[in-house]
Amino acid sequence: MKVLFLAAEATPYVKVGGLGDVAGALPQALRRLGIDVKLMLPRYGSIDPGRYAMTVAMHDFPVYMDWRQERCQLWAANNTDFFVENSHFFGSRSSAYGHDDDPERFVLFARAALEACRLSGWHPDVIHAHDWHSAAAIRLQWSAPNRAGLVFTIHNMAHQGLCSNNNWPLLGVYDAHGNLNLMEQAIYAADVVTTVSPTYAHEIQRREYGFGLDGLLRQRDQRLVGIVNGIDTEIWNPATDPILPARFDRHHLEGKRKCKMELQRRQGLRVDPDAPLIGVVSRLDDQMGIRLIVESLGDLWAFSNAQFMVLGSGHDAYENAFRSASHYHGDRMANWIGFNNEMSHLVYAASDIFLMPSNFEPCGISQMIAMRYGGLPVVRSTGGLVDTVPDRSQPDGVGYRFDNYDKGAMLHALSRALRDYYDKPAWNQAMQRAMTRDFSWGTSARRYAEVYKWSCQLAHRHL
Ligand code: GLC
């Protein structure tokens, strides 16, 4: 089976958020199942062809955009990873997103990817597009003769590629009324729509989480599937992680204490391996529930002896709130504003409790990494957090969940965790359960393979 896999970001080439991790790892897991997956990305200025020994796979070819032509080129990093080049829209700009003409840029990306396949004679059985940036490919293929199975994956309903009416001609549509919403078009046209957890698949059919597309998603309910993401269990393995000052596994937890003390030392926290350490590795914005954390700091200093370490960047107000808390409570509160890969490994390894009070969370990746590193998550019951973190009140429980998006509910869950922390035998058992959970991509990749077959049947395509 041949699959064209389209995304705006994928590790190691370009990563802005969780989509980059998924689009980097899932194609590899699918290839291990024998599926011929070709990944295509735009070649942003930040992707250096020299660094990945890229060669030109296809010279200058025309791509039609409404009445005009754009010239594109295709780079290949190997037999499987390809990049659409166009200097005006991609090469001359280093960042992936945030340009006024993003809708136009990503329609060009989708058109160029389809055109490159056509010109090279490589006809995919399935087109698998991720988020609104590659949604146009689904809509454009929809009416093609003898078309591929069309699978569209939603990573985040908050970003839909909503743009004005005069963008419709980019899709070859000249009589449309109203604005163009690229994600909506793909949800409508795809044979199967997937999203990154079963709970999120239900949630987005409700008004609170659907961002205006809940009605359409309810209509497509029979074709909507939730598949939880995996993590890269080679990179994220505390037993072999070369970045950590000490390694550990579920039978040898001494290394985790060492990691905690190392973090305390480096960040100026009081060095005490017995003090519970709460870790946060996150974008500092409203989706991630950072407001609840900021509002709770005072209570935490008053009612617990917990220490707090925050790593991430985002809204100024949140960054400043953490800076100021570190200033006044330096022995208990530390932060690293920005992103630092090495520090992120250390925070996961050092944390006893991992806090993720997301307002909404399609899947979430950090909570899985935290569990693999022996941190018990405190999470809001939403999206993938429900599917990956069973509550300690259940027999196999590993974490602490709360329902209402408010400070009191979060503090209640945190206080349960802090109380349990001192019951060492029970805490260690929960840690061991957390560390043995299977977060590898294998299971999820098999589910995608089933979805691919189903999409081919729905498209009347014989494999
Ligand atoms: C988005 C979602 C996150 C998910 C990721 C990968 O970033 O916000 O929950 O884990 O996509 O699917």
Side-chain angles (χ1 to χ4, degrees), residues 17-22 131 153-156 196 200 229 283 287-288 356 360-368 384 441:
L19 170 62
D21 293 307
V22 173
D131 271 354
T153 295
I154 298 167
H155 294 262
N156 195 334
V196 289
Y200 196 58
N229 292 329
R283 258 183 296 122
Q287 177 189 336
M288 307 309 290
M356 213 165 156
F360 65 95
E361 194 62 76
C363 179
I365 291 175
S366 322
Q367 81 280 10
M368 294 191 260
W441 268 103

Side-chain angles (χ1 to χ4, degrees), residues 301-354:
W301 310 142
F303 86 72
S304 82
N305 67 341
Q307 298 185 347
F308 221 104
M309 171 70 202
V310 175
L311 167 66
S313 62
H315 291 181
D316 290 348
Y318 295 141
E319 293 183 356
N320 291 335
F322 289 124
R323 284 197 189 98
S324 142
S326 303
H327 180 74
Y328 289 107
H329 303 273
D331 58 335
R332 295 183 59 189
M333 168 89 214
N335 67 67
W336 182 291
I337 301 299
F339 187 73
N340 178 317
N341 184 45
E342 197 177 322
M343 183 55 84
S344 77
H345 284 245
L346 186 58
V347 176
Y348 286 120
S351 301
D352 300 297
I353 294 167
F354 191 80

Side-chain angles (χ1 to χ4, degrees), residues 238 241 243-248 254-256 258-259 349:
D241 190 336
I243 295 177
L244 298 183
R247 275 156 282 283
F248 56 95
E254 188 49 35
K256 188 166 170 74
K258 289 202 181 121
C259 290

